Amino acid sequence: MSDLSLKAPITVAYGDGIGPDIMRASLDVMLAAGAQLDIETIEIGEDVYNRGFSSGIEPSAWDSLRRTKVFFKAPITTPQGGGFKSLNVTIRKSLGLYANVRPCAAYAPFVATKHPAMDLVIVRENEEDLYAGIEHRQTDEVFQCLKLITRPGCERIVRYAFEYTRANGRKKVTCFTKDNIMKLTDGLFHKVFDEIGAEYPDLEQEHWIVDIGAAKLADTPEMFDVLVMPNLYGDILSDVAAQIAGSVGLAGSANIGEQVSMFEAIHGSAPRLAGQDRANPSGLLLGGVMMLNHLGQSGVAERVHNAWLATLEAGVHTKDVWQHGVSQQLVGTQGFAEAVIARLDREPQTLKPVRYTASRPFQLPPRKPQAPARKETVGVDLFVQWRGGADDLAGKLKTIEHGPLALKMITNRGVKVWPEGLPETFCTDHWRCRFLNGDGPMELTDIVALSSRAALAGVDFIKTEHLCTFDGEPGFSLGQGQ
């Protein structure tokens, strides 16, 4: 079956701010290039929020996304104030769009950059990490956000990164984590990277701690090829990478799921430029190129991308990338689209032309679940709001020790303050009080009894966290200073 033998159903949302301008321009280019698209349009964003839908999307829109399974989305504006959810996060998590793929390439000398050899792709885990959005205010002084890292989530995104690297003729995969500090969560991500990487001996592999890795990315991005990382690091560093490549406004993004995928620009809705025909449509257009490849219309994708490169080479530029002595013609949103359309049969002469294969998107092999570990409960962390000192708190808690559970440690913001704490340690009103069973496994009823005794004693405990071992290995962190 050829690329153009059947129109592909897609769902389109024009969004807010500059969204309608850049969406019209992008669709004009793709359709002029021969894209075979059967378009369904839905409304999302600010007007939908203001009609009382807290996530910015109406229930009926989900039917279109389930039907077409491809979403081409312009940026939206999320209203200020509480009660409004991020539409992007809602869509990514609700539809299982686990992989966020962001190519970042330099286009020197036609777009200014300090890194003309830069050509990398960031593959970002898209559903979990701190973006699980589970937050609580626990005391007067302390707020909490849970960082959730799962083995299935790590396995899926890491394997996607390796498969993407192979499928696109790239050579190296780099993992960024902070597992020198977050040994369980980021440690799992790193461990899974090493495990799955062993199945791809043809690809070069490396791991960097994210802080020095980010410094290297900003200084020498040409040393990287494909990078894979947890959600928060990927969100931040993909914007950094796009900007140092030339402009965030040039970067497109794919959000890949097993059932549905979404394609967009990485930038926001820039409401101050709305309706002024000034925005650069390139980010959304390159997101559209990724969509065309996903749909199997690789010939059209190649034609659009090469025409876009030829337009940059010709010096036809929007204001955001204008350079004196390089740019030749200043155009607006629609003018840029028209310039790309005029070059649909051309290829760049200085920049490297793109070549896309005619294959459909690759499928990940089925996951092989691990056998459940032997789990044993050995203690509990009792989190307490307390305005006194650590020694006074310990004295109060010693009176509620129950059965096998004995108070072993108190920490404040993760630093041990009892026993043998340092007087210089700054403390808030939020304390982690660790009770352990020195004789091994215990019953959950022992934790219930301890909690009951704490309540009767007037201990203002906020929550409990069970301490478990898995195949004999502790499934919990120790306090700093131990």
Side-chain angles (χ1 to χ4, degrees), residues 34-52:
Q36 298 297 293
L37 304 174
D38 181 9
I39 296 172
E40 296 183 15
T41 302
I42 62 171
E43 185 182 8
I44 60 171
E46 194 167 25
D47 288 344
V48 180
Y49 281 116
N50 291 335
R51 290 203 295 270

Side-chain angles (χ1 to χ4, degrees), residues 26 107 250-253 264 281-291 304-305 308:
S26 298
Y107 305 104
L250 302 182
S253 172
E264 58 186 343
S282 295
L284 188 60
L285 180 61
L286 293 182
V289 168
M290 298 173 78
M291 179 183 70
V304 170
H305 202 160
W308 179 81

Side-chain angles (χ1 to χ4, degrees), residues 297-311:
Q297 299 185 29
S298 55
V300 181
E302 186 175 300
R303 193 176 183 215
V304 170
H305 202 160
N306 281 326
W308 179 81
L309 292 169
T311 303

Side-chain angles (χ1 to χ4, degrees), residues 377-381 405 435-437 440 442 447 465-468:
T377 304
V378 297
V380 62
D381 280 341
L405 285 171
F435 292 81
L436 287 173
N437 176 16
M442 51 178 288
I447 295 176
E465 195 76 44
H466 296 188
L467 305 178
C468 303

